[in-house]
C-alpha cells in the first residue's frame, strides 16, 4: 500500500517543510508557510494547526471584490483586502500593495489628507464623525441580524413568497426597532454584500429563493 504524504497526516506546517522552507522558517515562519503553499498547495495560517481550506482562485475572487470597491472610490476596501491577505497568510497582490503605498504616502506628504480617516473611508461606513461611524456600524450589526432572521423565517414558512411578506413576518416575530422600509434597505444591503463575495451568484440570493418559490 502506498504511503500517504506526511502533509496529509498533520495540521502542522513545519511537518510539511522541505529543507529550503525550514531555512526560510528560521527567518520568518509566515514566509515559510507561503513558500510551502506555492510548492505543494498545503495552506496554513499564522497560528499553529491553522490549515486553510480555500483555493487560491477563491481567495483571488474575494480579493477582487475589494478591488472593485476600491476602484469605485471605497478606499476602506484597501484595509479590508489587506486583512483578508493577513487572514490567509498570503502576500499582497501588486494592485493592493501599490494602492496602499500610494494612499499612505499621500497622508505623510505636506498638504496631504489631514487624518487617516480621510485616506481610508467608505460610503457604507462613514468615518467623518464618530457619531456617523457608530451609526453605520450599528446598521451593519442590525442588518446581519435581520438577514439571518429572514433566512430562518423563509425556510420555516413555505407560505412566504415575497420580500414584503417576509419582512412583515420578520418584524412581527422580533423586536428590531426599525420600520419596514429601513428593514428592507438593511436586508438588501447585506444581500448585495453577500452576492459580491459569492461572485454575483444570484442562485444563492434571498430574492432568487423567493422568486423560485413563487413559480408554479
Amino acid at each position: 500500500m502506498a504511503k500517504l504524504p506526511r502533509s496529509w497526516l498533520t495540521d502542522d506546517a513545519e511537518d510539511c517543510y522541505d529543507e529550503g522552507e525550514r531555512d526560510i522558517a528560521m527567518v520568518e515562519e509566515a514566509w515559510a508557510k507561503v513558500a510551502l503553499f506555492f510548492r505543494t498547495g498545503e495552506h496554513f495560517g499564522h497560528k499553529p494547526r491553522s490549515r486553510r481550506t480555500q483555493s487560491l482562485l477563491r481567495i483571488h475572487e474575494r480579493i477582487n471584490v475589494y478591488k472593485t470597491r476600491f476602484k469605485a472610490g471605497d478606499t476602506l476596501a484597501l484595509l479590508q483586502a489587506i486583512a483578508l491577505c493577513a487572514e490567509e497568510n498570503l502576500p499582497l497582490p501588486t494592485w493592493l500593495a501599490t494602492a496602499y503605498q500610494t494612499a499612505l504616502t499621500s497622508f505623510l506628504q505636506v498638504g496631504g489628507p489631514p487624518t487617516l480617516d480621510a485616506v481610508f473611508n467608505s460610503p457604507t461606513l462613514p468615518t467623518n464623525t464618530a457619531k456617523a461611524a457608530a451609526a453605520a456600524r450599528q446598521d451593519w450589526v442590525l442588518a446581519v441580524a435581520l438577514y439571518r432572521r429572514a433566512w430562518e423565517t423563509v425556510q420555516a414558512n413555505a407560505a412566504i413568497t415575497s420580500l414584503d411578506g417576509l419582512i412583515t413576518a420578520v418584524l412581527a416575530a422580533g423586536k428590531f426597532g426599525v420600520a419596514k422600509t429601513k428593514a428592507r434597505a438593511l436586508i438588501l444591503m447585506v444581500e448585495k454584500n453577500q452576492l459580491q463575495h459569492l461572485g454575483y451568484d444570484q442562485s444563492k440570493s434571498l430574492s432568487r429563493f423567493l422568486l423560485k418559490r413563487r413559480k408554479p
Side-chain angles (χ1 to χ4, degrees):
M1 182 177 177
K3 185 179 180 181
L4 291 175
R6 292 183 67 197
S7 60
W8 289 16
L9 307 174
T10 180
D11 282 330
D12 294 321
E14 55 268 27
D15 292 334
C16 309
Y17 290 157
D18 64 11
E19 183 177 353
E21 288 147 8
R22 282 192 288 272
D23 289 342
I24 296 173
M26 294 178 67
V27 178
E28 173 52 56
E29 184 76 21
W31 296 348
K33 291 178 179 178
V34 171
L36 170 69
F37 179 40
F38 288 126
R39 178 176 66 86
T40 69
E42 300 288 350
H43 190 189
F44 295 88
H46 293 286
K47 297 179 181 179
R49 304 183 67 83
S50 57
R51 184 182 290 275
R52 312 300 296 178
T53 58
Q54 292 191 79
S55 69
L56 187 61
L57 178 59
R58 181 66 186 115
I59 297 167
H60 181 260
E61 290 172 344
R62 291 181 61 196
I63 292 174
N64 272 347
V65 171
Y66 297 119
K67 183 178 182 180
T68 300
R69 292 178 182 178
F70 169 67
K71 287 184 174 180
D74 186 343
T75 53
L76 187 63
L78 293 178
L79 300 184
Q80 293 171 310
I82 290 171
L84 176 56
C85 290
E87 178 185 353
E88 295 293 342
N89 188 24
L90 287 173
L92 304 186
T94 298
W95 76 266
L96 179 55
T98 54
Y100 175 75
Q101 287 177 311
T102 299
L104 193 59
T105 299
S106 71
F107 170 68
L108 298 174
Q109 290 177 339
V110 176
T115 67
L116 285 175
D117 284 343
V119 178
F120 303 109
N121 58 80
S122 168
T124 60
L125 189 62
T127 56
N128 53 318
T129 67
K131 184 176 180 180
R137 292 189 186 98
Q138 185 59 43
D139 273 354
W140 270 107
V141 171
L142 179 58
V144 170
L146 281 165
Y147 192 72
R148 184 183 299 114
R149 182 64 63 83
W151 269 112
E152 292 171 351
T153 302
V154 76
Q155 289 170 339
N157 188 343
I160 297 175
T161 60
S162 69
L163 186 58
D164 279 346
L166 175 57
I167 295 172
T168 298
V170 167
L171 295 180
K175 297 180 179 179
F176 289 99
V178 292
K180 193 172 181 178
T181 300
K182 177 75 170 182
R184 172 189 283 272
L186 293 177
I187 288 173
L188 292 178
M189 179 176 70
V190 176
E191 176 105 310
K192 179 180 178 181
N193 183 71
Q194 290 288 93
L195 288 175
Q196 287 178 334
H197 283 286
L198 291 171
Y200 292 95
D201 184 354
Q202 298 287 339
S203 66
K204 298 179 181 179
S205 73
L206 183 60
S207 301
R208 179 59 62 88
F209 182 90
L210 290 166
L211 177 62
K212 287 182 177 179
R213 182 173 280 182
R214 289 196 297 273
K215 289 184 177 180

